Amino acid sequence: SFLSLDVNKHKPWIETSYHGVITENMDTVLLDPPLVALDKDAPVPYAGEICAFKIHGQEAPFEAEVLNRTSGEGVLRARGPIDCEQQKEYTFIIQAYDCGASPSGANWKKSHKAVVHIQVDDVNEVSPVFREPLYRATVTEGKIYDSILQVEAWDQDCSPQYSQICNYEIVTQDTPFAIDRNGNIRNTERLSYDKQQHYKIMVTAYDCGQKKAMESVPVHIDVKPVCKPGWQGWNKRLDYEPGTGSKQLFPKMHLETCDGPLSSVRAMVELQTSHIGKGCDRETYSEKSLQKLCGAASGSTDLLPAPSVSTNWTASLLTDSGRDSDLIFRFDGRQAANIPEWVVPQNLTDQFTIATWMKHGPSPGLRAEKETLLCNSDKTEMNRHHYSLYVHNCRLVFLLRRDFIQLDSFRPAEFHWRLEQICDKEWHYYVINVEFPSVTLFVDGVTYEPYLVTDDWPIHPSEIDVQLTVGACWQGGEVTTPRFTQYFRGSLSGLTIRPGKIATQKVISCLQACKEGLDISSLESLGKGIKFHFNPAQSVLVMEADDLESINTAMTKVSYINSRQFPTPGLRKLHITTTVQCFGEDTCISIPDIKAMVMVLPPSEPRITIAGVERLVWPAAQLRAPVGVALFKDIHIITRRPGVLELMHNLDYCDVLVIGEELDPERESLEIHHSSLLDRVPDTGLSLVSGVDSMAHYEQAIRQVRYHNWKPGGLSERRFRLSCSELNGRYTSNEFNFEVRDCLHTGNAEEHVNHMAVQSQYMRPVHHPLVVHTVNSDHISGTPPAATVVIVMCIAALVVIVVLGIYRIHTTHQDGSKEDEEGRKDPEMDWDDSNLNITVNPMEEVREEEPEEEEDEDEEDDELAGDLFSAESEDSDEEEETNIQKGKVKGKLEWDPSTLPY
């Protein structure tokens, strides 16, 4: 052993450190310096030879192998595949061992420890991968972007050379986009929303080893229009079906502010209806009818009625009707009307009311003249104005000169109002309530006190007649030729004057109320964040909110409503203005105005039908009886519309016309036997006109019209015509013709049912109210041809009738007195006639020619009449008429024009 020690004296020697490189997926490591161990015992066998290299630490996946024991050369190898992506570097310890002193390796020696650092060389084996499966972006049209969005890919290779992405590329051809080395996509031209709203492009990536991505990534780019602040989601036109109530105007509307910070939003919705009638859709009944509907006191005088024979003072005035019977008079500075003396109210006291609709613009000229609406002045000799209403320089002035009394002192005489409404060229409703010495003006239901009141001396009494005029003032004195002066320029409608009780605020509001307007469909859904306000006519709605959501919710609730049963069809314009305020600024976003429209569709037209027995034959004794015969006792009035079997409507007038020769006052008369109505009427005819009332009341009144003929021998027949109107003549009934014949001139007692002699043409005729019509006919024969055959039979029957007549007259007196007592308890006969007036015009004689009628008329369809009524026998007719109290028949009726209401 000592010998062995002497032989193996030295330890092997290696370098102190090594640096190596291995390519991944290879097994040989290239070391620098090479792995070589030296031993000073060489060339002694075994002791001078190198038998092994051993690796220590980190469980390094390497092993060292001795290539030449004598030279000490070795090699470093990987025990398995080396993956750079898992570990890029390795560091471990290596030592060399000699072979010892003998072949058995005993007494071997090892070298010092050397540090080995190995770097793994990367291989470009992994393709780039994008971090997102899909990229999206939105751009605004018309802009050039430096970068719309950035795509990003990455590579799992371990080396910078292969793990970095060096390039991106758009695979899709012919796109207006480009991409840079960092993945930023930009547009190369200005995009248009109208041209293309969506782009889809494919993008790939390359690492620095030029390895391409396995899959390209899709990129979606949406083009949106340039953000323009404003309302979106609304339709320019909305159709409104009559009778549907409140309908939302903008159910999907919302405000786009382009993400601008706002502190408040104010929206104003305006419904423009100035082109509809008198400023909006209102009821088209006559002014008197409207006053009755609104509960106004009776006794008003209409100074601008529809032109007719009885109201002919308006015939020369220009009318602007044609809007569903709205009666409008247009004055151009050359027209005026004298009101007849019998029309002028004579009992004006300290309390009275003047009301009118007026549309007026600024007066022409620098020094505008007075424009008179209403004037009561001296007819001759002098030029004193007793009271007048005029416009002067956009001021409304009411003049009231009281008559002289014992106290000779100044009194309030002129009342001045300065209002914008007077010259805004829009319709307004003016009411002047006089409670002398106080005078109050109402404009569209709003009260205005005069800003100036001037005093004047009272007028001394005189015997000079006065003249009431409309549209100008009459100057009958102090001039060479009496003439009109101070002409009015504008439009008037419904000018009335009523003595006594003044109009109340409630009545005034009702008279000028619009039947159409804006509405909010669900107030409870608005919440506390919204404030809103309507103008009195509900044509303007203002809403304010602090946030976008509240104003959007509120706008979807804005609705249009028209409560008229038959609204005026046509367009209504809508105008919306919006103001947006930002924090610390007055206005920051400009919102364009909206102009839309509501189209009110035409309503289904009603058909007013008068049906009943149209031909009756009566014995001469019955015609001579004081009670006469009831002309229309079986009459029925109904209204139908498409899809509706029967509707109950109001009527506003019914006319009974005498066809043929005028009534002969020596032998004929028409009467209505009702205690509260006129019991004497002119002998030429009758006209029932009351304004608005139910069909039932009209039927009851018409059924009481009775015809008397106490000398029937000279007249073979008498014809009458009945027609009715709704909405001031907008809808008219058929003309119901009725014929009465004497038994001596016919062979058979006839009853003929007329369902609808003439279909309603829905004309809009000029209403001739309160008029009695008679029509001449030269073709009515004295005796029908069939009468000759039956004259003998009638003479024989007449003997029997005379005998029975004496008996029936006796029973008539007894039964009549009983029925009068029972009639007071009969609820059907105790109908309210307070709304019905019988008005007549004894001055009118209208003559028309009527075509010759055939004696034998074909019978109409009897289904409607069968549903409405059943024909009664002649006996039952006579019995019914005995229930009506007899009246005295005078040779000729006299009438007092001062007591007749017109």
Side-chain angles (χ1 to χ4, degrees), residues 280-405:
C280 68
D281 218 357
R282 310 177 194 269
E283 293 292 3
T284 57
Y285 293 113
S286 65
E287 196 65 24
K288 277 192 173 182
S289 298
L290 285 176
Q291 289 180 0
K292 182 165 57 179
L293 287 173
C294 291
S298 60
S300 64
T301 301
D302 191 354
L303 301 181
L304 286 176
S308 69
V309 176
S310 61
T311 57
N312 55 9
W313 67 89
T314 60
S316 62
L317 301 180
L318 298 177
T319 58
D320 186 19
S321 58
R323 291 193 177 100
D324 297 328
S325 302
D326 278 329
L327 189 59
I328 296 171
F329 292 91
R330 183 162 47 88
F331 297 85
D332 60 1
R334 295 190 296 266
Q335 290 85 25
N338 282 324
I339 309 300
E341 184 178 353
W342 56 269
V343 176
V344 179
Q346 303 296 327
N347 55 344
L348 290 184
T349 61
D350 288 345
Q351 283 190 344
F352 61 93
T353 299
I354 298 175
T356 185
W357 286 96
M358 181 177 74
K359 182 169 73 171
H360 182 265
S363 303
L366 296 177
R367 299 184 62 183
E369 295 183 354
K370 295 179 180 179
E371 299 179 54
T372 302
L373 285 75
L374 180 69
C375 180
N376 186 269
S377 59
D378 291 330
K379 184 178 291 188
T380 57
E381 300 183 26
M382 304 181 71
N383 188 29
R384 299 175 302 174
H385 294 187
H386 297 258
Y387 62 87
S388 68
L389 180 64
Y390 62 89
V391 174
H392 189 211
N393 289 327
C394 294
R395 292 175 301 156
L396 186 67
V397 182
F398 177 64
L399 170 69
L400 179 62
R401 300 282 303 279
R402 308 297 295 175
D403 290 337
F404 178 83
I405 57 176

Side-chain angles (χ1 to χ4, degrees), residues 724-774:
C724 295
S725 157
E726 181 177 13
L727 290 178
N728 202 21
R730 180 176 176 182
Y731 305 115
T732 56
S733 72
N734 59 299
E735 293 180 345
F736 179 81
N737 296 309
F738 184 78
E739 184 179 312
V740 177
R741 292 191 179 187
D742 181 6
C743 175
L744 293 175
H745 297 88
T746 185
N748 299 305
E750 300 181 70
E751 287 190 358
H752 183 71
V753 178
N754 174 16
H755 300 288
M756 190 165 58
V758 180
Q759 294 289 339
S760 176
Q761 300 300 315
Y762 306 115
M763 302 291 289
R764 293 186 173 90
V766 176
H767 180 199
H768 299 276
L770 321 184
V771 179
V772 178
H773 302 275
T774 62

Side-chain angles (χ1 to χ4, degrees), residues 26-194:
M26 305 293 288
D27 59 355
T28 302
V29 179
L30 301 178
L31 289 176
D32 181 28
L35 184 58
V36 176
L38 301 176
D39 196 323
K40 291 183 179 182
D41 291 327
V44 177
Y46 302 109
E49 296 177 353
I50 302 300
C51 279
F53 293 97
K54 290 189 178 180
I55 295 174
H56 307 283
Q58 293 188 357
E59 298 182 356
F62 297 97
E63 61 183 7
E65 180 181 350
V66 178
L67 296 179
N68 189 323
R69 294 172 61 172
T70 301
S71 62
E73 294 179 64
V75 64
L76 191 62
R77 290 189 177 92
R79 292 200 300 264
I82 299 300
D83 190 352
C84 178
E85 284 72 39
Q86 293 183 359
Q87 191 167 341
K88 297 180 180 180
E89 297 177 346
Y90 295 91
T91 301
F92 50 87
I93 303 298
I94 190 172
Q95 287 180 302
Y97 290 81
D98 60 16
C99 294
S102 63
S104 63
N107 298 322
W108 48 264
K109 292 184 181 295
K110 59 182 179 180
S111 67
H112 61 274
K113 296 179 179 178
V115 177
V116 179
H117 182 78
I118 297 177
Q119 180 177 349
V120 181
D121 275 353
D122 188 21
V123 174
N124 194 7
E125 60 180 349
V126 181
S127 300
V129 176
F130 286 94
R131 295 191 181 276
E132 301 291 339
L134 174 67
Y135 290 88
R136 289 185 178 274
T138 301
V139 297
T140 302
E141 64 174 345
K143 293 180 62 176
I144 296 293
Y145 290 83
D146 295 332
S147 176
I148 297 174
L149 78 161
Q150 183 181 26
V151 298
E152 184 180 3
W154 66 295
D155 196 318
Q156 293 185 353
D157 286 320
C158 64
S159 64
Q161 180 182 4
Y162 300 134
S163 63
Q164 292 183 1
I165 306 299
C166 285
N167 194 22
Y168 291 91
E169 181 183 359
I170 296 177
V171 180
T172 306
Q173 299 295 318
D174 300 327
T175 63
F177 300 98
I179 191 168
D180 62 14
R181 296 171 61 89
N182 296 320
N184 293 305
I185 298 177
R186 60 184 176 84
N187 57 318
T188 57
E189 62 184 49
R190 300 182 188 276
L191 305 179
S192 171
Y193 177 82
D194 296 332

Side-chain angles (χ1 to χ4, degrees), residues 102 139 239 254 349 362 418 576 579 593 714 719 726 736 789 876:
S102 63
V139 297
D239 289 342
H254 63 277
T349 61
R418 183 185 291 113
I576 301 177
T579 304
D593 291 353
R719 296 177 183 176
E726 181 177 13
F736 179 81
V789 182
S876 63

Side-chain angles (χ1 to χ4, degrees), residues 682-732:
D683 304 318
T684 55
L686 178 76
S687 178
L688 297 176
V689 182
S690 72
V692 184
D693 214 319
S694 66
M695 289 184 178
H697 281 181
Y698 267 94
E699 284 184 354
Q700 289 175 318
I702 294 171
R703 288 172 183 173
Q704 296 185 53
V705 176
R706 310 188 74 83
Y707 171 65
H708 303 256
N709 190 331
W710 45 91
K711 295 180 181 180
L715 186 65
S716 62
E717 62 184 9
R718 174 60 77 183
R719 296 177 183 176
F720 303 92
R721 178 175 296 165
L722 171 66
S723 63
C724 295
S725 157
E726 181 177 13
L727 290 178
N728 202 21
R730 180 176 176 182
Y731 305 115
T732 56

Side-chain angles (χ1 to χ4, degrees), residues 833-867:
D833 64 329
S834 59
N835 292 332
L836 279 175
N837 298 317
I838 305 291
T839 313
V840 298
N841 176 23
M843 302 300 295
E844 181 189 20
E845 294 180 2
V846 180
R847 298 180 179 271
E848 301 177 4
E849 285 197 7
E850 180 161 318
E852 183 176 351
E853 295 183 9
E854 296 180 4
E855 292 297 325
D856 297 323
E857 297 181 6
D858 293 331
E859 191 154 324
E860 303 282 347
D861 182 15
D862 291 331
E863 293 182 3
L864 177 61
D867 295 337

